[in-house]
Amino acid sequence: MTDLLSILFETSQSNPTVVFATAAVVIVGTLALLRSLLSSPSRRSQVPSHTYSSWVPFLGHGPAFFKRPFGFLLELKRQYANTNCWINFFGKPCLVIFRSDDFKQIMKQSEKSASMLKPIDDLVGFAFPQENKKDFPTKELEQRISFARGQGVSGAPIFMHSIRKEKMLCWLKPIRSLLEHKFISLEESGTVDLFDWCRTLISSVTVGVLLGERVLEDHALMETFLEIYYDGDPEFAFKGPLKAAGSMLEVGLFGERRVFQRQRDLTDPYIQEEIQNVLAGKPEPNDGSVLSSMVRYWYNRLDKDEAALRSATRRIGNDLFMFTFAAFTNSYAAAAWVMYHILHNTNKTGDNIQPELDKVHQSMEQDNPEFECPGLEKIILEIARLYSPGAFLREIMKPWTMPSTKEVVPKGSIVMLSVGCIYRDSQFFENPLEFDPSRFEPGRDEEKKNAGIFAGFGTGTHPCAGRKFAIWEIAIFASEALRYFDFEILTPPPDHINTVKDIIINAEDHPRLDPSQFGFLWRPIDPVMVKYKRKSSIASNK
């Protein structure tokens, strides 16, 4: 409630028409609900009615799903005995897929056939930075720059261009230096929340790579950036009904959440400086930031037109947020789970990975470090398998025939791929509730055997652009952390331990996982406390 009142008060001070604006939001929302009510019968006519259990026409099973995604899908899987079923998802027919042949087929579909971006945009697109049509003098330029449904430019090619291998190799030393600074700043001994600690460290690395070494060197500025990026996280924006209402009110009044304008205000000087560098003909340095690559990407894409490039300023600022969000939301959780299972030595994970991490450190001592981490990659794949709680959503862009039944799924339907359930199916994975990275070793090769089922770092038309970067930064983090400190995971209180070993994960003293989490890697509900002590061979240099 405090968030709602503060938004209204602040707005009323600067804009006396806030009452009318708020009324407009309410009217638009009411019209949207009426539209859903009026349109839902025709949509429902395309869906087998017997597969509905209980629903409200314009909401359907949507709220029940988002309240506890994994549990909701698990109940459906049991109810329909591993066959596909239809539900009402916010007024749209939604096919929940449990059949492996249908699962594989839909994962292969292109964005034009079964869009992954459109349902995400429809559901939570308003929670992300928005374009401003006033930035574009022509409709043609808007279509060339904006990130819009069915038109405009996807962020993936820009990110892949910005984190190509030769650039990443130049970042390894600065990443290590930043982590060493963080390690040295810690007390000689103490306790930390493992996930909170990893979030701070991995986020700092991401922001530094994003904007360059100047931010790495200015630790106060770095903290400001981190605060803004944390506030911008959509999960933070919807933590509870009042927070969600406040975020939606912001969008209704300002067109987007205000934190994104704060972020652009902070990054705009860096963007303008880089634009000037490009216009002056300065080449991109090999160790340049993601920002330097982004600006040059747009300059070349826009035929080296200065006016067009300046029109893309807001898009570049928005992409900086999206890159950061995509990079550290999953990466910090992956880093924390890597450390957790190393310290817990789950299935000898710690013993097996230590020689590889020693080689990472040895490589980092060289002038031009480069290394491979096949063992760590398998650990991260197993983390992706066991800690993916929700589902992939795809919207059918043209009629699609299911291989299993030959039923035609109509255009406009949502398809929900229940990864959390299928990754725990013994039909595909041996001892599926065990944390066991060796399942991806030669001889077992469960990743290859389940190609089309297991996404891992992304699959099909949506591979992970930052796969190599994520592995390298986690490798440096883990190797350096274990070199600096001795760690001990503290035994959690009984009420912080997962008790559903036959459903979630079969591991002793494992943290409870948030049943309401939908996307990204699962994080614990409670703090995971770790005791650390600096090794006698490492000086603090304080």
Side-chain angles (χ1 to χ4, degrees):
M1 184 60 72
T2 303
D3 291 329
L4 283 169
L5 292 175
S6 66
I7 290 169
L8 288 171
F9 177 76
E10 290 174 24
T11 308
S12 65
Q13 299 302 301
S14 58
N15 183 0
T17 61
V18 64
V19 176
F20 299 103
T22 306
V25 172
V26 173
I27 292 170
V28 169
T30 303
L31 290 174
L33 293 180
L34 287 173
R35 180 178 180 276
S36 297
L37 282 167
L38 293 173
S39 63
S40 57
S42 62
R43 288 172 177 169
R44 291 200 303 273
S45 66
Q46 300 172 342
V47 182
S49 59
H50 67 276
T51 57
Y52 284 102
S53 52
S54 62
W55 48 273
V56 178
F58 55 87
L59 294 178
H61 296 90
F65 170 78
F66 279 111
K67 184 177 180 180
R68 42 193 298 273
F70 179 71
F72 177 83
L73 292 171
L74 194 64
E75 288 173 9
L76 284 181
K77 187 172 186 285
R78 290 169 173 170
Q79 182 179 353
Y80 292 100
N82 290 331
T83 61
N84 303 336
C85 64
W86 289 89
I87 63 172
N88 175 343
F89 196 64
F90 293 105
K92 279 193 173 186
C94 176
L95 176 66
V96 183
I97 291 184
F98 296 110
R99 294 285 300 265
S100 61
D101 44 356
D102 298 329
F103 196 107
K104 291 179 181 179
Q105 185 64 32
I106 200 68
M107 289 289 278
K108 294 178 181 177
Q109 299 300 306
S110 69
E111 182 68 17
K112 291 183 179 179
S113 299
S115 175
M116 183 177 77
L117 298 176
K118 189 174 184 298
I120 294 174
D121 191 33
D122 287 342
L123 282 171
V124 296
F126 64 88
F128 291 100
Q130 302 297 311
E131 306 288 352
N132 187 346
K133 292 185 177 182
K134 294 180 180 179
D135 293 337
F136 310 118
T138 66
K139 186 70 175 177
E140 185 269 340
L141 190 59
E142 178 188 352
Q143 292 182 346
R144 293 181 69 188
I145 295 177
S146 68
F147 180 48
R149 233 179 276 154
Q151 64 178 27
V153 183
S154 166
I158 305 171
F159 298 157
M160 294 181 75
H161 172 79
S162 303
I163 55 174
R164 53 197 187 275
K165 182 178 178 180
E166 61 268 25
K167 287 183 68 67
M168 287 192 291
L169 288 171
C170 296
W171 295 337
L172 298 184
K173 291 279 190 179
I175 288 173
R176 183 192 186 190
S177 297
L178 171 65
L179 291 172
E180 285 182 327
H181 170 82
K182 295 287 188 181
F183 295 155
I184 290 170
S185 66
L186 281 177
E187 300 295 331
E188 294 293 320
S189 62
T191 58
V192 293
D193 175 356
L194 180 61
F195 280 76
D196 185 60
W197 187 55
C198 288
R199 176 170 181 161
T200 299
L201 293 173
I202 298 300
S203 309
S204 299
V205 167
T206 303
V207 173
V209 166
L210 194 76
L211 297 172
E213 290 193 42
R214 285 180 300 171
V215 181
L216 291 176
E217 294 163 359
D218 188 336
H219 300 293
L221 182 61
M222 171 71 79
E223 292 302 317
T224 303
F225 272 111
L226 293 181
E227 178 187 345
I228 288 177
Y229 283 119
Y230 291 163
D231 287 349
D233 186 335
E235 275 197 291
F236 177 79
F238 292 92
K239 215 59 172 170
L242 288 179
K243 189 72 181 175
S247 297
M248 294 177 73
L249 181 59
E250 278 188 289
V251 174
L253 293 173
F254 306 109
E256 66 175 3
R257 292 162 55 213
R258 292 172 297 171
V259 66
F260 298 129
Q261 187 56 54
R262 289 173 55 209
Q263 177 258 326
R264 287 192 296 268
D265 289 342
L266 203 59
T267 55
D268 189 65
Y270 294 88
I271 297 172
Q272 297 305 324
E273 180 181 353
E274 203 56 53
I275 287 175
Q276 288 303 120
N277 289 339
V278 171
L279 296 177
K282 292 183 179 180
E284 179 185 3
N286 287 333
D287 58 350
S289 61
V290 168
L291 171 60
S292 66
S293 287
M294 280 187 177
V295 172
R296 285 165 174 80
Y297 176 95
W298 279 109
Y299 187 54
N300 291 321
R301 182 180 179 85
L302 297 171
D303 304 321
K304 300 185 177 180
D305 182 330
E306 177 181 349
L309 178 61
R310 295 195 183 280
S311 295
T313 297
R314 184 183 178 105
R315 168 65 196 267
I316 294 169
N318 289 347
D319 277 345
L320 289 173
F321 171 81
M322 295 303 294
F323 177 91
T324 308
F325 172 70
F328 75 64
T329 301
N330 268 337
S331 294
Y332 94 81
W337 285 122
V338 165
M339 289 295 292
Y340 176 85
H341 287 290
I342 287 175
L343 300 179
H344 228 282
N345 203 23
T346 314
N347 271 331
K348 298 189 179 300
T349 296
D351 294 340
N352 294 336
I353 198 62
Q354 191 58 57
E356 184 171 289
L357 295 179
D358 290 340
K359 290 181 180 179
V360 170
H361 173 68
Q362 292 166 11
S363 176
M364 292 301 300
E365 294 293 301
Q366 307 301 314
D367 291 336
N368 298 300
E370 183 174 358
F371 49 83
E372 295 299 325
C373 300
L376 179 63
E377 186 166 353
K378 291 177 178 62
I379 294 174
I380 297 175
L381 284 173
E382 183 68 338
I383 287 168
R385 186 186 72 84
L386 265 180
Y387 296 101
S388 295
F392 294 146
L393 298 177
R394 307 291 288 267
E395 180 163 338
I396 302 302
M397 307 304 287
K398 56 185 179 181
W400 172 65
T401 303
M402 282 191 287
S404 63
T405 62
K406 307 305 179 186
E407 177 185 355
V408 176
V409 180
K411 177 182 177 180
S413 300
I414 300 296
V415 171
M416 186 179 290
L417 303 168
S418 53
V419 294
C421 294
I422 207 162
Y423 289 174
R424 286 169 168 75
D425 193 326
S426 59
Q427 176 185 349
F428 307 109
F429 297 98
E430 183 182 349
N431 297 321
L433 296 179
E434 299 284 338
F435 184 87
D436 183 10
S438 69
R439 69 177 71 252
F440 302 114
E441 295 282 355
R444 292 181 67 181
D445 287 319
E446 292 188 13
E447 180 186 19
K448 293 179 180 177
K449 290 177 183 177
N450 295 304
I453 289 288
F454 181 56
F457 286 95
T459 189
T461 57
H462 293 92
C464 175
R467 174 176 183 151
K468 178 68 78 173
F469 174 66
I471 292 171
W472 279 356
E473 71 172 339
I474 292 173
I476 297 171
F477 163 68
S479 66
E480 294 301 310
L482 293 169
R483 187 175 72 89
Y484 267 78
F485 303 105
D486 290 315
F487 292 98
E488 177 191 352
I489 294 182
L490 300 180
T491 302
D495 59 345
H496 288 189
I497 295 175
N498 170 53
T499 57
V500 282
K501 295 182 179 181
D502 59 333
I503 296 175
I504 302 291
I505 183 172
N506 184 18
E508 292 299 321
D509 297 336
H510 193 278
R512 295 186 303 160
L513 301 175
D514 186 352
S516 68
Q517 188 177 330
F518 165 66
F520 311 108
L521 291 178
W522 235 330
R523 271 101 60 190
I525 298 175
D526 312 296
V528 176
M529 302 308 296
V530 173
K531 182 189 293 185
Y532 71 88
K533 183 177 182 181
R534 195 182 310 277
K535 292 184 177 180
S536 57
S537 57
I538 303 292
S540 65
N541 293 327
K542 281 194 173 183

